[in-house]
Amino acid sequence: MAATLYPMTGFEFVSDSAPARDATRPLEAFLRGVERRAWRVAELATGQREDALDLVQEAMLGFVSRYGERTPEEWSPLFWRVLDSRIHDWYRRHSVRSRWTAWLGRRDADDEESADPLLAIADGAEPGPLARLADREAGSALDAALRALPLRQRQAFLLRMWEGLDVAQTATAMRCSEGSVKTHLSRALSRLREQLESYQ
């Protein structure tokens, strides 16, 4: 048995035999290629790093078990569809949990993320403090603008503009009509232009 561990999400892809491994190599390459972008989409949706990693891991597992035998051309929209389902499930669970904690009068303790030691390593290609500050401000503004979008608009934007899916694939991933994708994307672009006008 051979196992491939995806370091970012902790997802482990297991294949039983050498022929099976050969057949799954394209699938492994697809999962490796989509892992980081999927995590970013999930993090934007949830605002929680750990929850986002869990969602991507669950999506990979669900995708491999349900759609791993499909052709590579079908993988991208199907994977994003699975991740979309996991994100919707997260929202449902989170809203129920929030209602219960509000009703019980409890507050979650603030989770302080431990500092990532890799972030402390000096970058030889450092552009300088002013350029870094401008990039950070623009990045933070984009992050905030994306988080402020309604979920469906954010999904349409990320799948079309960031992931590069076409309208039909995005409609498959979002489980809606192509017209709805175009509407959501148009509204997302309009709102993002308004929010980020000073950075253009």
Side-chain angles (χ1 to χ4, degrees):
M1 260 195 170
T4 303
L5 185 65
Y6 293 73
M8 188 173 163
T9 59
F11 175 70
E12 191 168 16
F13 186 84
V14 180
S15 51
D16 295 332
S17 62
R21 276 197 308 276
D22 291 340
T24 58
R25 285 216 169 96
L27 185 56
E28 287 182 34
F30 169 76
L31 292 173
R32 281 195 185 281
V34 80
E35 179 185 33
R36 184 168 294 279
R37 297 190 310 276
W39 170 73
R40 188 68 182 121
V41 167
E43 188 189 30
L44 283 167
T46 63
Q48 305 289 327
R49 179 183 170 85
E50 295 304 319
D51 287 352
L53 290 172
D54 289 343
L55 288 173
V56 175
Q57 187 177 42
E58 290 169 17
M60 286 182 163
L61 183 61
F63 169 75
V64 168
S65 63
R66 292 188 66 190
Y67 302 116
E69 299 300 320
R70 297 285 190 97
T71 63
E73 294 75 30
E74 298 176 275
W75 287 344
S76 190
L78 290 172
F79 173 79
W80 291 107
R81 184 175 190 163
V82 173
L83 182 60
D84 178 61
S85 293
R86 296 300 184 273
I87 289 170
H88 278 283
D89 291 345
W90 182 90
Y91 269 99
R92 279 194 291 273
R93 287 193 309 267
H94 190 71
S95 65
V96 168
R97 187 167 46 238
S98 295
R99 272 185 255 139
W100 273 103
T101 54
W103 184 73
L104 294 172
R106 295 180 184 161
R107 292 183 180 174
D108 293 334
D110 290 337
D111 292 332
E112 293 201 13
E113 291 186 20
S114 57
D116 186 347
L118 293 178
L119 295 177
I121 297 173
D123 183 1
E126 175 61 48
L130 292 178
R132 193 173 71 234
L133 179 62
D135 285 348
R136 188 180 316 142
E137 287 176 357
S140 296
L142 176 60
D143 230 30
L146 284 170
R147 288 181 197 276
L149 288 175
L151 178 62
R152 300 300 272 173
Q153 290 180 24
R154 183 171 57 239
Q155 288 171 318
F157 175 82
L158 291 172
L159 292 173
R160 286 282 290 122
M161 308 307 289
W162 193 30
E163 186 57 27
L165 299 185
D166 63 28
V167 174
Q169 291 173 323
T170 303
T172 298
M174 292 178 65
R175 286 168 290 172
C176 64
S177 70
E178 293 184 20
S180 292
V181 169
K182 292 175 183 176
T183 300
H184 289 312
L185 180 60
S186 174
R187 290 177 180 167
L189 289 171
S190 177
R191 292 182 70 160
L192 288 172
R193 281 190 199 105
E194 287 175 18
Q195 299 268 338
L196 302 171
E197 189 175 359
S198 61
Y199 293 94
Q200 293 176 6

